[in-house]
């Protein structure tokens, strides 16, 4: 709900704060005092179009700011966080601040949770936070989707099992859509899929004929490099081998001979010094290691002699075969093998098209039969709920000085949709003999506000929005009808927060909070009127109601009448 609204330089209001609470809050004041600026401020905070003409004369800009208290998990909080808002959280809820500034040049800025945001974000948040019913404001139930949703929420309470059937229909519809989409895709792309299968078959045959092995391309590359440089490798290996073990006729001592001589010298004195004995052992180990290396080099030289030009030609031929695969299918042989595995799986899928098409077609047919049956049950429930909703709203309209008005809910056949097979339309028959017309057409602003009040009162328990704002709801009525309007606003306020701009004391008497807009005389040289807004104390309410009743706030008779209105408003209706 809205905890507080702050207004600055909007219309005739210089700077004011409206403290709001739960229940019913009314705003009253003399004609021209600026009562409608409260509704204008709310509209700005809901993302309505900004009007530079609403900026107070002489001011550079106007602003409206609201502090809202919302329960944890409310959809508006998630959207505000997406917009970068900073939100104050507390046990069980959170506080969100919305702000809007309108410059005298027509430029407008919005802030959500202290962060700048597009104006459209305010509109998105407003859809789940506040509903305004007034002279030119949009009707909450103007769209077919909103009307269907409202009727369904009412039906969920009025018709046993409707919610379960609706959930089952929605789930089945989703699965039917998925199956039908897959079936359509299979049927429309059969030629493409056939060509894809043929292409994969040829590619896999080529890969299977080549029979590449994991890592084979890299192994052959290394072997090819070795054979291409065989003479250099042989010379280096032979030179190293001779340095380790020289031929008998060599004049230069080899490494193994020198190491063996060193070992013999150390062994000759090993008994005299343990340290040299250990060193002799280590030198002996070096000798063994050098002998092993020499044998390995000899074997390496022998292998070079066995791998000649024929092997090199064979390797290059094989590399050529693998290069074709790499060029066509993947950057390396390992990736070619991975691509082949994935393609075999895809080929299996493509080969099973005919069986899958038959299975999906049967699934789609069965789902359509079930959808039609469930849809018929939903239609039956909706017709029953529509009759109840229409009667209850029409009864409310009779009490609101529209005795011949009737809410007509049309349910027409439609194709299968995500919520059933019905087109739902809310219509208003303003008086007997008149043709029903869509909501918002054929009714004055005051009549439309009363129609929406009647609907909201009936729907309040099943389709609540945190805050409702009504302007002109009491236009053109008085007496008993005005009392009934006030009573129904109070009924609605048991479920949600309600803010009403009114000029009728019968309505204001039902308020939980009474706010008055006071017009100040024009200051000399100022050239314009200014107003302020304040919350009335109990005795001040009596004075304001007396003014609203007779224009004589100091009249004892008027005040007595005002006290009587307040007492009657607190008395439960029978």
């Amino acid at each position: 709900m809205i905890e507080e609204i702050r207004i600055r330089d909007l219309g005739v209001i210089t700077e004011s704060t409206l403290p709001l609470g739960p229940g019913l809050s009314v705003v009253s004041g003399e004609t021209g005092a600026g009562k409608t600026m409260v509704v204008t401020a709310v509209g700005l905070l809901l993302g309505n179009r900004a009007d530079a003409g609403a900026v107070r004369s002489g001011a550079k800009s106007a602003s409206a700011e609201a502090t809202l208290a919302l329960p944890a998990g409310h959809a508006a909080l998630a959207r505000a966080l997406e917009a970068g808002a900073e939100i104050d959280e507390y046990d069980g809820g959170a506080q969100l601040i919305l702000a809007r500034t309108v410059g005298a040049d027509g430029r407008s800025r919005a802030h959500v949770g202290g962060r700048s945001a597009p104006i459209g974000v305010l509109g998105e948040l407003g859809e789940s936070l506040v509903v305004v019913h007034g002279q030119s404001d949009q009707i909450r139930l103007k769209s077919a989707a909103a009307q269907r949703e409202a009727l369904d929420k009412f039906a969920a309470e009025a018709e046993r099992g409707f919610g379960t059937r609706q959930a089952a229909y929605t789930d089945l519809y989703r699965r039917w859509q998925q199956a039908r989409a897959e079936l359509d895709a299979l049927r429309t792309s059969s030629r493409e899929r056939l060509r894809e299968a043929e292409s994969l078959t040829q590619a896999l045959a080529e890969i299977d004929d080549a029979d590449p092995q994991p890592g084979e391309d890299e192994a052959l590359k290394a072997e090819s490099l070795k054979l291409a440089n065989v003479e250099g490798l042989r010379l280096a290996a032979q030179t190293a081998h001779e340095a380790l073990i020289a031929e008998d006729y060599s004049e230069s001592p080899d490494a193994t001979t020198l190491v063996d001589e060193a070992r013999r010298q150390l062994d000759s004195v090993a008994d005299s010094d343990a340290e040299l004995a250990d060193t002799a052992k280590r030198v002996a180990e070096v000798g063994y290691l050098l002998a092993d290396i020499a044998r390995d080099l000899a074997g390496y030289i022998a292998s070079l002699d066995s791998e000649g030009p024929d092997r090199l030609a064979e390797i290059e031929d094989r590399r050529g075969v693998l290069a074709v695969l790499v060029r066509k299918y993947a950057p390396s042989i390992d990736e070619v093998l991975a691509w082949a595995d994935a393609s075999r799986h895809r080929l299996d899928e493509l080969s099973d098209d005919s069986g899958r098409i038959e299975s999906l077609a049967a699934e789609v047919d069965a789902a359509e039969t079930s959808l039609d049956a469930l849809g018929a049950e939903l239609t039956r429930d909706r017709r029953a709920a529509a009759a109840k909703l229409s009667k209850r709203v029409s009864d409310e309209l009779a009490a609101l000085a529209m005795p011949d008005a009737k809410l007509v809910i049309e349910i027409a056949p439609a194709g299968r949709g995500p919520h059933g097979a019905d087109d739902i339309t809310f219509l208003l028959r303003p008086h007997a003999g008149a043709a029903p017309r869509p909501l918002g057409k054929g009714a004055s602003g005051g009549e439309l506000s009363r129609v929406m009040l009647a609907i909201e009162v009936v729907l309040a328990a099943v389709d609540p929005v945190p805050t409702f704002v009504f302007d002109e709801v009491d236009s053109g009525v008085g007496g008993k009808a005005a009392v009934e309007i006030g009573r129904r606003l109070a009924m609605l306020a048991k479920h949600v927060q309600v803010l009403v701009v009114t000029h009728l004391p019968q309505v204001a008497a039902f308020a939980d909070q009474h706010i008055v807009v006071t017009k100040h005389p024009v200051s000399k040289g100022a050239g314009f009127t200014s107003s302020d807004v304040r919350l009335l104390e109990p005795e001040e309410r009596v004075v304001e109601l007396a003014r609203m009743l007779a224009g004589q706030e100091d009249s004892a008779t008027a005040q007595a009448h005002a006290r009587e209105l307040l007492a009657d408003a607190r008395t439960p209706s029978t």
Side-chain angles (χ1 to χ4, degrees):
M1 70 172 189
I2 301 175
E3 293 184 325
E4 186 176 80
I5 298 177
R6 293 169 290 282
I7 303 173
R8 178 182 59 79
D9 292 332
L10 186 63
V12 295
I13 298 177
T14 305
E15 187 167 357
S16 295
T17 299
L18 283 75
L20 302 178
L24 175 60
S25 298
V26 301
V27 179
S28 66
E30 296 180 1
T31 301
K35 299 187 297 296
T36 57
M37 287 299 103
V38 175
V39 179
T40 301
V42 173
L44 289 174
L45 293 170
L46 297 181
N48 290 357
R49 183 176 179 180
D51 180 8
V55 179
R56 189 174 65 86
S57 178
K60 293 182 179 179
S61 63
S63 67
E65 183 177 302
T67 301
L68 297 97
L70 300 173
H74 194 281
L77 294 176
R79 182 64 187 93
L81 287 172
E82 289 178 7
E86 294 182 357
I87 297 174
D88 295 328
E89 297 183 357
Y90 52 86
D91 291 342
Q95 188 178 77
L96 176 64
I97 296 177
L98 305 180
R100 180 86 176 273
T101 302
V102 181
D105 58 359
R107 295 183 179 181
S108 176
R109 291 182 299 167
H111 289 81
V112 176
R115 299 291 181 87
S116 179
I119 304 297
V121 174
L122 290 180
E124 294 176 27
L125 294 172
E127 290 179 359
S128 61
L129 293 176
V130 183
V131 172
V132 178
H133 295 301
Q135 301 178 29
S136 58
D137 299 290
Q138 65 179 9
I139 301 172
R140 178 166 79 108
L141 301 179
K142 69 176 182 179
S143 71
Q147 293 174 6
R148 192 271 314 157
E149 184 177 356
L151 177 60
D152 283 356
K153 287 182 178 179
F154 181 82
E157 295 292 326
E159 305 302 320
R160 180 178 298 178
F162 177 82
T164 301
R165 286 187 286 274
Q166 186 181 41
Y169 180 96
T170 300
D171 180 65
L172 180 58
Y173 181 86
R174 176 186 55 79
R175 289 186 281 114
W176 171 67
Q177 285 282 73
Q178 292 175 345
R180 192 175 66 165
E182 185 179 352
L183 179 60
D184 290 344
L186 286 175
R187 284 173 171 170
T188 57
S189 63
S190 58
R191 292 182 180 177
E192 290 78 3
R193 294 167 70 86
L194 179 59
R195 284 195 292 268
E196 182 183 359
E198 291 176 350
S199 175
L200 289 178
T201 300
Q202 293 174 0
L204 291 172
E206 183 178 16
I207 294 172
D208 291 342
D209 287 344
D211 192 23
Q213 301 302 311
E216 185 180 1
D217 50 346
E218 293 299 325
L220 291 176
K221 178 180 178 181
E223 189 176 357
S224 173
L225 180 64
K226 173 183 175 181
L227 293 177
N229 295 278
V230 66
E231 294 305 323
L233 296 173
R234 180 183 290 109
L235 177 60
Q238 287 177 341
T239 303
H241 184 267
E242 291 175 1
L244 294 177
I245 300 178
E247 298 293 338
D248 293 340
Y249 52 80
S250 175
E251 297 178 359
S252 300
D254 56 38
T256 54
T257 300
L258 294 174
V259 169
D260 189 55
E261 177 62 24
R263 179 187 59 76
R264 285 197 303 269
Q265 292 296 326
L266 293 175
D267 281 344
S268 66
V269 295
D271 293 340
S272 304
D273 189 338
E275 183 177 354
L276 284 182
D278 289 340
T279 302
K281 292 178 181 179
R282 292 165 62 194
V283 171
E285 292 173 356
V286 171
Y288 301 146
L289 180 59
L290 290 176
D292 287 343
I293 294 173
R295 284 193 297 272
D296 290 344
L297 285 172
Y300 179 78
I301 294 168
S303 70
L304 290 179
D305 290 339
S306 65
E307 297 178 348
D310 291 342
R311 175 56 182 164
L312 180 58
E314 178 185 337
I315 289 173
E316 292 306 321
D317 288 343
R318 180 62 176 170
R319 290 185 69 193
V321 172
L322 298 182
V324 172
L325 301 183
V326 169
R327 185 172 63 252
K328 286 185 175 181
Y329 305 114
S332 69
I333 287 299
D334 286 349
E335 290 172 287
V336 168
L337 292 171
W339 180 87
D341 288 341
S343 296
R344 292 183 206 283
H345 179 70
R346 174 60 175 164
L347 186 58
D348 290 340
E349 291 180 348
L350 295 172
S351 301
D352 190 39
D353 273 2
S354 58
R356 181 59 177 160
I357 287 175
E358 291 180 5
S359 174
L360 285 172
E363 182 180 348
V364 168
D365 290 342
E368 288 176 350
T369 300
S370 298
L371 281 174
D372 291 342
L374 276 173
E377 293 180 17
L378 294 182
T379 299
R380 178 201 63 201
D381 290 344
R382 283 173 175 150
R383 291 188 183 281
K388 296 175 183 178
L389 177 59
S390 176
K391 184 178 186 309
R392 290 178 59 178
V393 172
S394 298
D395 290 345
E396 292 292 326
L397 289 174
L400 295 174
M402 299 179 69
D404 297 322
K406 181 179 180 180
L407 177 68
V408 178
I409 303 177
E410 288 187 350
I411 301 178
R416 300 184 194 98
H419 306 288
D422 305 313
D423 281 336
I424 298 168
T425 308
F426 282 22
L427 305 169
L428 175 67
R429 190 195 66 184
H431 52 80
R437 302 188 64 187
L439 293 181
K441 296 182 179 180
S444 66
E447 288 176 331
L448 181 57
S449 290
R450 275 178 276 158
V451 171
M452 296 313 302
L453 172 59
I455 294 175
E456 301 295 8
V457 167
V458 176
L459 294 178
V462 298
D463 188 24
V465 172
T467 301
F468 286 85
V469 179
F470 287 90
D471 187 19
E472 271 204 344
V473 69
D474 52 14
S475 176
V477 299
K480 185 177 179 180
V483 173
E484 292 302 323
I485 289 176
R487 194 181 308 281
R488 276 149 182 79
L489 287 168
M491 291 169 56
L492 179 61
K494 292 179 181 179
H495 302 280
V496 296
Q497 180 186 46
V498 180
L499 176 63
V500 181
V501 177
T502 183
H503 66 278
L504 291 181
Q506 295 94 329
V507 173
F510 285 89
D512 297 299
Q513 294 88 218
H514 191 149
I515 299 162
V516 65
V517 181
T518 305
K519 179 169 60 176
H520 297 295
V522 178
S523 301
K524 186 177 181 179
F528 54 84
T529 301
S530 64
S531 299
D532 62 16
V533 183
R534 63 189 181 89
L535 180 66
L536 296 180
E537 297 295 334
E539 283 303 313
E540 291 177 316
R541 288 190 66 187
V542 174
V543 174
E544 173 62 9
L545 288 178
R547 181 199 65 77
M548 297 171 73
L549 280 165
Q552 300 175 356
E553 56 266 34
D554 296 327
S555 167
T557 302
Q559 290 189 12
H561 191 183
R563 294 181 192 278
E564 184 179 357
L565 280 178
L566 289 170
D568 289 345
R570 288 192 292 269
T571 303
S573 60
T574 56

